[in-house]
Each structure stands twice: as structure tokens, then as C-alpha cells.
Amino acid sequence: MSAVLQIQKKKELFDLPFKQNELEFWGPIDTSFSNSFLAVAKDFIGRSSLGKVDQKKVFTALIELIQNISEYYEIAFKNESCPADSYLNLKYQDDRIEVTTANKLKIEDVAQLTKLFDEIFNLSHSDLDIARAKAIVKGKSLGLIMIRRMKNAYFNYSIQQIGKDNWLLFDLRIAA
Amino acid sequence: MKKLHIEPYLQTPEVDFDPESGELKITGKSYPADAIEFYQPVIDWCNEYAKQAAKETKLICEIEYLNSASQKQLVELLMAFKPLHDQGKSFVVKWKYEEGDDDILSVGELVEHELGLPFDYEEVTF
């Protein structure tokens, strides 16, 4: 039995609320957790009605997003006594999948990341190709550039201040 | 020079490099969080191999999933073969990609363009 089905069976058994088409997590995300989540998510995405190539697209994008979060978490919050929570949500409906991620940012990183993301998200399609060629040989942000280049996809980001904390949110929707 | 063999794991591919025949194969998934940790020994092996390469070298890449960190490491790995090609020795990359997977295909095309190494493409079913 697949990992997702096993979890859903358990939730049913204990009468816990669940949505069959949604996978959600709230908590600290380090490398070890991201590896585990990816294993479950691969199985989950495989249950959507998207074709195999589109499923691969979603999963590849998810790898980039979650590995970025875990890497940032381990660098920025390594020495924090209170672990920084992050949020992951995958949802499929009809012929599309939505991925939402949110993770806390250090205040000192906000300006630099805003500048970086503004640059990437303002690139035209042809500029994206140039940026990708630079990034694959010697550069950064290849993962985000890869997602931005995906066809039939909506991908956006925002940095929001909620209470005292700053959050980075990504929103990805891929349709068949 | 010894053969290099690494068993596939959850997020890392199988590596099967035979220095005598010159057939070097990377197969499977490649999306480890720390791609450098995985690829550095493989790149080191390739750098050594390039000094005493077989008459013909064929690097077969048959990768199903490829994260950005692995893409960068593959570029580093392929750069090890650039001197071979530049010296006129026989070297080709056989880039196998899943049917309809334009993303993996385009990674091959981009690396071919950036490094100027010869690539053969083949659509396969995983």
C-alpha cells in the first residue's frame, strides 16, 4: 500500500479530518524532513489525474522549493533555540495541481531576497533562457529559473510581514 | 584504474563507469539535497580517467529526475571530458530522456551548447 494511502487509512481509523486531494505540513523543515516529505509527495502527486510528464514537472518544482527551504532553514536558523516553522501545501483538483510554500525569513535577508526574486520574476522568456545558461555553468537561482520556464504554469512569490515575522511565500499552479 | 560503481539510492542515481571499455553510465533519479557530496567522487574519478582514457568514451546519461544542484554537478562532470574532446579523442554523450520530457531534453541541449561537447539524444520509456 502506498504511503499516502496508509496515512489516510490511519486518519480514517482515528476519525481525523483529511482531504484526499490535499497534502499539508506545518513545522520545521530540515534536510532530513524534506527527503521524507518528497517521498510522500511523489506518491501523492502520482495519484492526481495529470499525465506522467506533468506530474514530473510538479515534482521537480517541489524538489527545488522544498530543498531551498531546508537549506535556508539549516543556514539561517541553525543556532536558534526555537525552530522556525514552515508551511507546505499540495492540492490537486481536476487537471491541475497547486503547490504553496511559506517559510520564515531573517529580517536581514529580506531586502536582498526581494531584490533577487524581483529580478528573476521580471525576466522575459528570452532573458530566462540567458539567465538559465549562466546559472547552470556558474550561478545561483537555477531552480527558480527552471520553475519560471515551465509551460502551462503559474508561478509567483511574495514576501509578507505577518506580526513581527517576515515570510516568503511561493504559489505554483500547473495545469495539464 | 578501477571501475566505479555506486548503487542507486532514494535520490541518487546508479553510477557504472568502466575505464577499460570506456562506457560510463549514470542511470536513475538525481535530486539529492547535497549534490556536491554525491558527485565530487564521481568527478574526481572522471578527471583521473580523462588522463588515461579508453580509445572511445561514451557517457550514457539516462536520468529520470534531475534537480538544479545535480544539473550543475553534471556540468562539472562533463567538463572533465572537455580536454579529451579538444584533443580529438572519441567522446560522446548519449543523453536519454523520458518520452515527452522536454525539460530533461533541454538540459542536455543547454549543456551541449555551453560546453561544446557532442551529444546524441534518445527518447526512452522509463
Side-chain angles (χ1 to χ4, degrees):
Chain A
M1 189 186 290
S2 74
V4 172
L5 284 177
Q6 282 185 42
I7 291 166
Q8 287 179 351
K9 283 265 179 204
K10 288 252 167 24
K11 285 178 122 179
E12 278 176 311
L13 193 67
F14 295 104
D15 206 21
L16 295 168
F18 78 92
K19 291 174 187 167
Q20 218 161 8
N21 64 339
E22 198 168 336
L23 186 63
E24 199 170 33
F25 175 78
W26 176 261
I29 297 176
D30 58 10
T31 302
S32 168
F33 177 81
S34 89
N35 290 343
S36 306
F37 188 85
L38 284 172
V40 176
K42 189 166 184 294
D43 193 34
F44 175 81
I45 292 166
R47 298 177 68 233
S48 74
S49 60
L50 259 69
K52 198 178 170 199
V53 169
D54 287 323
Q55 288 179 4
K56 275 181 80 172
K57 223 190 258 187
V58 177
F59 186 62
T60 304
L62 184 67
I63 292 168
E64 298 301 329
L65 293 173
I66 194 168
Q67 288 183 343
N68 275 346
I69 292 175
S70 63
E71 191 184 346
Y72 182 77
Y73 172 85
E74 289 181 352
I75 293 168
F77 295 101
K78 196 179 173 184
N79 299 317
E80 301 279 316
S81 54
C82 182
D85 288 333
S86 297
Y87 174 72
L88 302 170
N89 183 289
L90 269 89
K91 192 164 33 182
Y92 62 79
Q93 199 149 21
D94 303 323
D95 61 350
R96 75 176 197 176
I97 295 189
E98 296 176 21
V99 179
T100 307
T101 69
N103 65 295
K104 212 188 269 190
L105 296 179
K106 289 242 168 178
I107 182 76
E108 57 266 35
D109 295 332
V110 170
Q112 188 194 354
L113 288 174
T114 303
K115 185 173 176 283
L116 174 73
F117 295 142
D118 278 349
E119 279 171 13
I120 293 171
F121 281 82
N122 283 323
L123 290 173
S124 66
H125 195 78
S126 56
D127 288 342
L128 275 172
D129 287 343
I130 296 165
R132 178 179 172 236
K134 279 185 190 163
I136 202 168
V137 178
K138 253 181 205 164
K140 291 188 173 181
S141 310
L142 178 61
L144 289 179
I145 294 167
M146 277 163 56
I147 304 173
R148 270 224 62 209
R149 287 183 75 258
M150 285 179 171
K151 290 170 190 161
N152 301 326
Y154 166 85
F155 182 45
N156 212 345
Y157 92 99
S158 63
I159 292 178
Q160 296 178 18
Q161 190 173 2
I162 302 168
K164 284 188 292 181
D165 297 320
N166 290 280
W167 289 84
L168 169 62
L169 292 94
F170 284 110
D171 183 14
L172 171 69
R173 294 171 222 157
I174 294 181
Chain B
M1 187 174 190
K2 283 184 181 175
K3 285 184 180 182
L4 177 68
H5 184 79
I6 302 172
E7 287 291 325
Y9 197 54
L10 296 171
Q11 301 179 344
T12 51
E14 180 176 8
V15 174
D16 199 6
F17 287 2
D18 182 348
E20 281 190 26
S21 68
E23 187 168 288
L24 320 176
K25 279 180 84 172
I26 303 178
T27 321
K29 305 171 178 113
S30 184
Y31 56 93
D34 190 347
I36 295 174
E37 186 187 36
F38 178 79
Y39 278 99
Q40 195 54 58
V42 184
I43 294 167
D44 291 343
W45 189 97
C46 292
N47 281 320
E48 271 309 301
Y49 170 82
K51 292 177 195 165
Q52 45 189 309
K55 202 174 171 190
E56 292 180 350
T57 302
K58 183 159 69 172
L59 177 66
I60 302 163
C61 296
E62 188 171 341
I63 298 176
E64 193 180 0
Y65 291 94
L66 193 55
N67 69 349
S68 59
S70 296
Q71 289 181 27
K72 289 181 184 178
Q73 290 306 301
L74 271 182
V75 169
E76 292 289 322
L77 187 152
L78 282 159
M79 279 170 78
F81 299 102
K82 190 100 171 81
L84 275 189
H85 177 66
D86 291 348
Q87 289 159 21
K89 291 184 182 167
S90 173
F91 173 76
V92 69
V93 181
K94 187 97 183 161
W95 190 261
K96 299 185 180 187
Y97 61 98
E98 186 167 16
E99 195 179 351
D101 190 346
D102 294 342
D103 293 325
I104 297 271
L105 168 63
S106 76
V107 172
E109 289 173 337
L110 177 62
V111 177
E112 177 186 10
H113 180 262
E114 291 300 312
L115 298 188
L117 290 170
F119 274 55
D120 278 347
Y121 297 94
E122 188 185 341
E123 210 173 39
V124 294
T125 309
F126 284 104

